C-alpha cells in the first residue's frame, strides 16, 4: 500500500519554462483514485502529462487563495465536466476560495454537470474521512489563511492460520470464512476462537503536505508520527534574509532544522523562487538542507513521481515526459 | 511594417498536450510593443516560450468570458506585477470580465503595482486608438456577448527628393529638415514648396481576429478591406452537424465559404475541437476549407509566428520551441 506523490508544479509565484505553479497529486495504491493538493494555473495540462484522469480525482485540497495555488482550479473543474464527469467532487479550501469559485461560475457562464461538495478547511479539523484515509488540516503562517494537509492512510490485512486449522482437522470451507470474519466456531465439541486463528497486520502511511509557510515549527504536532513532509523552500537562507517579498515564506535551512528536530525520515522541498531554479542554485539549496538534516531530502521537480512505502522508504518512481508525441 | 501573429493557444474548450487554450499575440514592427487577443489558462507560459515580454504588452483584448478565453488573465496580470511592471495596461473586454477580475483580485489577495485601464468592448466601436493603430470591436454570434477585433495599422513614410534639391544647389542642412516637416523654404529668392520635394507613402495592414462565432457573415463589414481573417473552425462540417455542444461555433467549410465571398486574401483557422487535433483530422479540415476558398488558408499551430506584410502576403516566420533548455 504505497503512496505515490507526483509533483505537477514546483515554482513559487509564477511558472517558468520548466516549473509550473503549485500542484501535487497524491495517489494511494492499490486503487485508481487520487487527490490533488493545490491547483495553480496550468495544473490541468500537467495532470494530462502525468497520465492522471480527472474522472478518478477524489478530492481537491487548496492550501490558500493566492493565485499560484488556485488559478488553475476553474479550468480544471470545467475540463472535468467537458470530459463527462458526473461523480461528485470534494473541494477542501478556505471559504474565500469557495466564494471566488461561485463568482467565477456566475460571471463566466459555467454550469458544471457534477456536484462540488465544499468543505471549509478552517472549520474542520478532519477535513475528509473515508475508509482507510483521514485528511486533516493544519494552520500555517502566511499572509492569508493557509493550511497544510496531513494524509493518514491505514490498511489492514487479515489472514487465517490455515496450518493450525488443518492440523486440527478442520477443512477449508464456510467455517474458515466465519473465523476470518471474527466469529467463533464450534468444531468437534470445541469452541475455536477467531482471535486465536486470525492474524492482522495494519500498515500506516502519514505524509504532511504543506502550503506556503513562514514557520515550519507550526507542523510539529502534525509531523509527530509522519514519514514524510513536503514543505516549501521558496528561498535559500541568504535570499530569505534579503528578499523583499519574503514575508510568509521559508528557506531550505529552516525547514531542514525543523525536520531534524522532529526526527522526520523524509523531506521533500518544493515551491522554489525563480532565482533558485538553475542546477547550481538547486545544488546549493540541497546542500543547505543536508547540512542541517540527516534524513532523506529531495528537491521536487515537475512531473516526477516519488513513492512512499509503509516502511518509510521514499524512492524515485517515474519521470513523466513534459510533452508526448502528437496524435 | 509587417504584423506578426504568434499563436499561443489553438485548442477549443480545453488544452491538450500540444495545444493550449486560446491566445494570440499581435506584434506590429518595428517597435517592441505587442497586443494579446484572448488569454486562456496557461497563456503566460506560452508567452515565455514565444520569447515575448510582459513589460512590452500594450493591451489585452478579451473576446468573451468563457474560461478557455480568459482563465489565464489573473495569473498573467499577477506575473507582470511580480516582474516589476509599472506601466499602465489597457484591458478591452466585456463588462462581466471586468467584474470577474475585480472579484478575483478582492478574494485572492491581489494588488497590482500598475494600473489596469478598462475599456468596455460592448460600448465602444473603436476600442483603442493610438498613433498608427486603430482597434475596433465587432459583435459575433455566440452564447454570451462575444467580439472580434479588427486591427488597422497605418504607417506613413516621407522622404525628400534629395536629387532635385541638390540639382538646385541647396545643400543638406536645416532647410532640408524644414521641407521634410512640411514647411516651405525661401532659397535664392525662390519659394521651394514642401509638397514638391516630399514624397509620402502610406501602408495599411488590416487583420480581423475573431472570437467564438457561429455566423462568419457577421464579419462582412469588418472584413471588407482586410488582408487577413483569423477565425475559429472548432469543427468540421460533419462534426458540427452532430456536435452536442456545437451551439455558437463554426466549421471550416462555413468560414471558408464566407472568406471566399468577401474576397479575403488570407484565412487562418484556429480553436480546434480535440477531435480534430490529429494530423489526419487537420489535413481533412484544411481540405474542407480549400475546397471552398481560393486564397491562402492556414491551420494555426501553437507557438508558430506568421508574418502579414502590407502587400497582403502571409508567410510562416518562426516556430518557437515548446520548451527550452534548463538554465
Amino acid at each position: 500500500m504505497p503512496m505515490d506523490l507526483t509533483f505537477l508544479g514546483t515554482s513559487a509565484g509564477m511558472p517558468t519554462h520548466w516549473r509550473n505553479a503549485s500542484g501535487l497529486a497524491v495517489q494511494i495504491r492499490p486503487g485508481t483514485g487520487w487527490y490533488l493538493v493545490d491547483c495553480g494555473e496550468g495544473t490541468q495540462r500537467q495532470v494530462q502529462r502525468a497520465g492522471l484522469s480527472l474522472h478518478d480525482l477524489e478530492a481537491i485540497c487548496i492550501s490558500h487563495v493566492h493565485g499560484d495555488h488556485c488559478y488553475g482550479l476553474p479550468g480544471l473543474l470545467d475540463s472535468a465536466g467537458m470530459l463527462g464527469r458526473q461523480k461528485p467532487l470534494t473541494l477542501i479550501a478556505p471559504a474565500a476560495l469557495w466564494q471566488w469559485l461561485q463568482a467565477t461560475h456566475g460571471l463566466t457562464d459555467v454550469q458544471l454537470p457534477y456536484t462540488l461538495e465544499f468543505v471549509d478547511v478552517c472549520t474542520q479539523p478532519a477535513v475528509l474521512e473515508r475508509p482507510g484515509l483521514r485528511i486533516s488540516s493544519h494552520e500555517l503562517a502566511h499572509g492569508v489563511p493557509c493550511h497544510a494537509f496531513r494524509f493518514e492512510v491505514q490498511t489492514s490485512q487479515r489472514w487465517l492460520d490455515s496450518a493450525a486449522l488443518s492440523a486440527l482437522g478442520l477443512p477449508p470451507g464456510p467455517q474458515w470464512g466465519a473465523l476470518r470474519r471474527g466469529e467463533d466456531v464450534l468444531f468437534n465439541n470445541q469452541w475455536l476462537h477467531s482471535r486465536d486463528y486470525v492474524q492482522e497486520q495494519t500498515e500506516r502511511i502519514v505524509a504532511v503536505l504543506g502550503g506556503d509557510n513562514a514557520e515550519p515549527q507550526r507542523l510539529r504536532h502534525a509531523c509527530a508520527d509522519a514519514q514524510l513532509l513536503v514543505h516549501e523552500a521558496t528561498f535559500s537562507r541568504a535570499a530569505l534574509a534579503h528578499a523583499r517579498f519574503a514575508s510568509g515564506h521559508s528557506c531550505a535551512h529552516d525547514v531542514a532544522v525543523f525536520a531534524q528536530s522532529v526526527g522526520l525520515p523524509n523531506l521533500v522541498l518544493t515551491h522554489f523562487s525563480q532565482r533558485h531554479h538553475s542546477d547550481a542554485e538547486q545544488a546549493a539549496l540541497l546542500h543547505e538542507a543536508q547540512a542541517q538534516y540527516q534524513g532523506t531530502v529531495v528537491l521536487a521537480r515537475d512531473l516526477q513521481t516519488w513513492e512512499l512505502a509503509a516502511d518509510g522508504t521514499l524512492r524515485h518512481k517515474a519521470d513523466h515526459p513534459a510533452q508526448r508525441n502528437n496524435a
Side-chain angles (χ1 to χ4, degrees), chain A:
Chain A
M1 181 220 44
M3 177 190 283
D4 287 352
L5 298 168
T6 302
F7 292 87
L8 302 172
T10 61
S11 181
M14 53 184 291
T16 62
H17 290 303
W18 285 90
R19 294 182 185 267
N20 201 48
S22 290
L24 171 57
V26 182
Q27 201 165 9
I28 297 143
R29 292 181 299 128
T32 55
W34 60 284
Y35 297 81
L36 178 62
V37 177
D38 283 336
C39 187
E41 182 183 350
T43 295
Q44 62 169 315
R45 247 186 146 182
Q46 300 292 82
V47 165
Q48 291 173 3
R49 288 171 178 149
L52 294 163
S53 165
L54 293 179
H55 288 291
D56 300 329
L57 179 57
E58 296 288 337
I60 302 174
C61 307
I62 302 289
S63 64
H64 65 299
V65 296
H66 286 161
D68 58 327
H69 294 256
C70 70
Y71 281 172
L73 188 59
L76 182 137
L77 297 177
D78 266 20
S79 293
M82 283 186 251
L83 291 168
R85 181 177 179 120
Q86 296 188 314
K87 192 169 67 166
L89 180 61
T90 300
L91 175 67
I92 302 158
L97 193 286
W98 182 241
Q99 274 182 269
W100 176 62
L101 207 55
Q102 302 298 306
T104 299
H105 288 171
L107 290 165
T108 69
D109 190 35
V110 173
Q111 294 90 31
L112 295 178
Y114 57 90
T115 304
L116 269 185
E117 292 167 351
F118 174 65
V119 176
D120 186 335
V121 72
C122 294
T123 58
Q124 314 260 348
V127 288
L128 193 94
E129 289 194 274
R130 293 196 177 165
L133 173 67
R134 183 177 191 271
I135 306 178
S136 55
S137 63
H138 301 266
E139 201 176 347
L140 302 173
H142 197 53
V144 296
C146 186
H147 291 78
F149 297 96
R150 183 181 191 272
F151 280 64
E152 184 179 340
V153 180
Q154 190 161 311
T155 51
S156 295
Q157 285 187 309
R158 321 184 92 201
W159 64 92
L160 276 183
D161 187 346
S162 52
L165 293 172
S166 297
L168 285 176
L170 179 70
Q175 289 176 306
W176 282 38
L179 286 166
R180 193 185 282 111
R181 288 193 300 273
E183 299 164 18
D184 297 338
V185 158
L186 191 63
F187 175 65
N188 282 350
N189 292 326
Q190 182 190 350
W191 279 101
L192 306 183
H193 298 291
S194 172
R195 64 171 180 272
D196 297 330
Y197 297 94
V198 171
Q199 293 186 307
E200 184 163 347
Q201 191 187 17
T202 298
E203 284 192 337
R204 253 169 108 246
I205 297 188
V206 178
V208 177
L209 314 175
D212 290 359
N213 184 28
E215 299 171 14
Q217 63 274 21
R218 291 218 182 191
L219 291 172
R220 187 166 300 277
H221 178 67
C223 286
D225 57 351
Q227 288 124 325
L228 170 71
L229 170 64
V230 176
H231 199 284
E232 62 125 315
T234 307
F235 298 109
S236 68
R237 194 180 193 192
L240 181 62
H242 291 94
R244 199 172 143 213
F245 299 108
S247 135
H249 289 294
S250 286
C251 66
H253 172 277
D254 293 354
V255 181
V257 166
F258 165 73
Q260 183 66 25
S261 76
V262 291
L264 266 168
N266 301 288
L267 173 64
V268 179
L269 300 177
T270 185
H271 195 269
F272 306 112
S273 162
Q274 276 190 77
R275 76 183 70 187
H276 299 307
H277 286 196
S278 71
D279 289 346
E281 285 286 331
Q282 287 279 295
L285 277 192
L286 185 62
H287 181 76
E288 179 174 313
Q290 285 173 331
Q292 306 299 326
Y293 176 63
Q294 287 164 4
T296 299
V297 59
V298 165
L299 304 194
R301 298 185 83 97
D302 278 32
L303 298 172
Q304 228 174 34
T305 298
W306 289 80
E307 180 191 86
L308 178 64
D311 67 2
T313 56
L314 180 70
R315 75 173 182 93
H316 177 217
K317 188 180 173 192
D319 284 312
H320 305 279
Q323 293 200 320
R324 305 204 168 174
N325 290 332
N326 205 350

